[in-house]
Amino acid sequence: NAGVMQNPRHLVRRRGQEARLRCSPVKGHSHVYWYRQLPEEGLKFMVYLQKENIIDESGMPKERFSAEFPKEGPSILRIQQVVRGDSAAYFCASSPLRDRANNEQFFGPGTRLTVL
Amino acid sequence: AQKITQTQPGMFVQEKEAVTLDCTYDTSDQSYGLFWYKQPSSGEMIFLIYQGSYDEQNATEGRYSLNFQKARKSANLVISASQLGDSAMYFCAMREGSWGNEKLTFGTGTRLTIIP
């Protein structure tokens, strides 16, 4: 079974451009989480989505950032008008329907965004 | 207050020795889960071990064990017989309370270097 897929793995954007990061969860997983890791720091939660719903966006910056998880297709994290401070690694994780017996949250390989 | 505290920014350990990575946490929830992840230089997040707050026994996974001391709110990771391939960043993380929202809070990490 394929794990969590993220693309692109590396993304370079100039200030003011848009960045679109894609995440395909493990097949059958309906919950997707996005995290951001700034250089030399731990991961910080951004947003939690289920199919067609944003459940918790408490970690999302108020402006320029948006996320979706449509009924069909991957989850998208979109950053408009990128600034240098957006340079980071963005990780997506997925988990199945609630099952306490399965506690692993499956992480993708991350997308490394560099803003020039 | 920090929810997850990892006080060791870096550690150097001789190959084949055991190593303990410290993690303390702060939560008022009765139900929570504690995770350890490994992040090698390639950048992916690798799940190592999980401990539930109601688990009576310490979790073990191969060479990894979790020294869970609930009253002290600590969840230290023990790696036995360290190997060169164990050199990486290690992150402690916590999932709190509510059923359904699996978002994790991460510590700042410990960089472990195994010396041949």
Side-chain angles (χ1 to χ4, degrees), chain B residues 36-84:
Chain B
W36 277 92
Y37 284 85
K38 172 184 179 181
Q39 187 177 42
S41 57
S42 51
E44 70 269 32
M45 295 292 288
I46 301 169
F47 167 77
L48 296 178
I49 197 165
Y50 166 81
Q51 180 85 42
S53 58
Y54 293 119
D55 294 341
E56 294 186 352
Q57 294 196 332
N58 287 344
T60 61
E61 289 284 349
R63 293 187 300 112
Y64 304 108
S65 60
L66 201 151
N67 184 0
F68 182 45
Q69 298 189 42
K70 196 169 181 177
R72 296 179 60 186
K73 293 189 174 178
S74 78
N76 298 342
L77 176 71
V78 180
I79 307 174
S80 62
S82 58
Q83 302 170 357
L84 295 178

Side-chain angles (χ1 to χ4, degrees), chain A residues 33 48 56 98 100 103 105, chain B residues 35 95 100 102-104:
Chain A
Y33 302 79
Y48 162 41
D56 181 349
R98 203 65 173 92
R100 278 287 184 186
N103 292 289
Q105 195 168 96
Chain B
F35 299 74
R95 178 192 65 210
E102 305 290 321
K103 70 180 180 185
L104 299 177

Side-chain angles (χ1 to χ4, degrees), chain A:
Chain A
N1 284 335
V4 177
M5 312 276 283
Q6 287 188 252
N7 67 80
R9 296 290 306 274
H10 299 274
L11 183 61
V12 179
R13 285 287 178 264
R14 296 193 180 277
R15 281 179 296 168
Q17 292 183 320
E18 179 180 286
R20 290 170 68 88
L21 287 62
R22 293 175 189 77
C23 168
S24 296
V26 173
K27 189 175 180 182
H29 285 191
S30 55
H31 301 218
V32 165
Y33 302 79
W34 285 94
Y35 295 85
R36 177 165 64 174
Q37 184 180 32
L38 295 172
E40 302 301 317
E41 293 188 11
L43 279 69
K44 292 209 167 28
F45 168 77
M46 298 180 76
V47 62
Y48 162 41
L49 309 105
Q50 294 179 16
K51 286 280 186 182
E52 300 184 280
N53 285 306
I54 297 174
I55 307 301
D56 181 349
E57 56 182 347
S58 58
M60 286 279 269
K62 293 287 184 280
E63 296 176 349
R64 303 187 298 109
F65 285 72
S66 62
E68 63 176 9
F69 188 16
K71 189 176 179 181
E72 301 290 338
S75 175
I76 306 286
L77 179 68
R78 185 174 170 212
I79 312 171
Q80 295 178 294
Q81 299 177 314
V82 296
V83 301
R84 288 219 175 101
D86 297 333
S87 295
Y90 292 83
F91 288 91
C92 170
S94 75
S95 63
L97 287 175
R98 203 65 173 92
D99 176 2
R100 278 287 184 186
N102 183 351
N103 292 289
E104 180 179 348
Q105 195 168 96
F106 296 80
F107 277 83
T111 293
R112 274 136 192 92
L113 172 65
T114 301
V115 179
L116 301 178

